[in-house]
Amino acid sequence: GWKKHRPKTKNYRPTQKCSYGRTRNGFSIYPIRILPQNETKRKKNTTFADMNGQIENLINYGDILLSCCIPHDMHWEHRMPAHSIIFVRSGKLVIEGKDRTDEITAGNYVFVRRDCSINVTKVPLDGEPYRGINFSLPRHELKEYYNRIAATCKKLHQVSPIAQTVNILPQVTALKSLFNSFLPYTDSTETPSDEWLRLKVQEAVMSLLAIDTRFYPTLFDFNEAWKIDLMDFMEQNYTEDLTLEEFAS
């Protein structure tokens, strides 16, 4: 029964779905709603009044460009399925990994590697809600970009990838220009085109490659790195020993 298999996660709600189709205690950032059949899947522009009033606005364009406004502290256990760049517009973002905790304040950018599990807390600060923009770099877009510059990448085969999960980025003009271009969409009801989003992914990749050559082996590593440690997952999330039959069911 559910009680025997109940995870340890506090305030567990097994029926509340999140953006990647998992339950709330799973690896996800944003809650979602079911879209009407006549509404485009590319744009999800939602104003929330639930979740105890913690999320005011959530805008999601194709799971690539996401923006939110959160007036109260909010915490998630989150799996990053794709490389992402996050810009903190106001408030503070606290990201806790296995080995370290990073605090990202307003005006800063952070790169988070794919295939990692992190604890994310979004904190209002100085009377301002947390506002942030998350821009993901889809795997298929990275593959297309790599195919165009494969010769350059081969020359950098001795460069080591970035080891850290969370990397605070310098405030370079390229990143400022990139995220400023998102504001007309995140702050309005306009919907960006698919082609525009693809161009912005390319712009983001170029910005990262110009910052550090270690982004070459980091972004263009297409091995399936995410492998769940089943024993670690069971020990962290289940309160009672299970028989083999119970586990299989």
Side-chain angles (χ1 to χ4, degrees), residues 99-196:
D99 303 320
R100 54 184 279 180
T101 298
D102 292 273
E103 295 188 359
I104 301 93
T105 54
N108 285 290
Y109 309 87
V110 60
F111 172 82
V112 184
R113 287 178 55 109
R114 69 176 175 92
D115 298 326
C116 69
S117 290
I118 53 178
N119 293 320
V120 176
T121 305
K122 299 178 179 182
V123 184
L125 198 64
D126 299 327
E128 296 264 354
Y130 172 85
R131 292 188 301 157
I133 298 175
N134 186 328
F135 191 64
S136 296
L137 307 177
R139 178 188 178 95
H140 65 278
E141 298 288 353
L142 291 176
K143 277 191 171 183
E144 289 184 9
Y145 193 100
Y146 172 79
N147 289 335
R148 293 195 297 271
I149 63 166
T152 301
C153 293
K154 289 177 181 178
K155 296 176 182 177
L156 298 168
H157 68 277
Q158 293 183 340
V159 176
S160 299
I162 293 174
Q164 295 177 349
T165 298
V166 179
N167 303 268
I168 298 177
L169 300 171
Q171 298 183 23
V172 296
T173 301
L175 287 178
K176 293 179 182 178
S177 175
L178 174 66
F179 279 86
N180 282 341
S181 70
F182 297 149
L183 300 182
Y185 295 101
T186 60
D187 294 351
S188 73
T189 58
E190 294 293 322
T191 304
S193 67
D194 292 353
E195 182 60 29
W196 186 86

Side-chain angles (χ1 to χ4, degrees), residues 4-5 46 49 53 55 190 227:
K4 187 170 186 65
H5 296 74
T46 309
I55 298 180
E190 294 293 322
K227 299 292 183 182

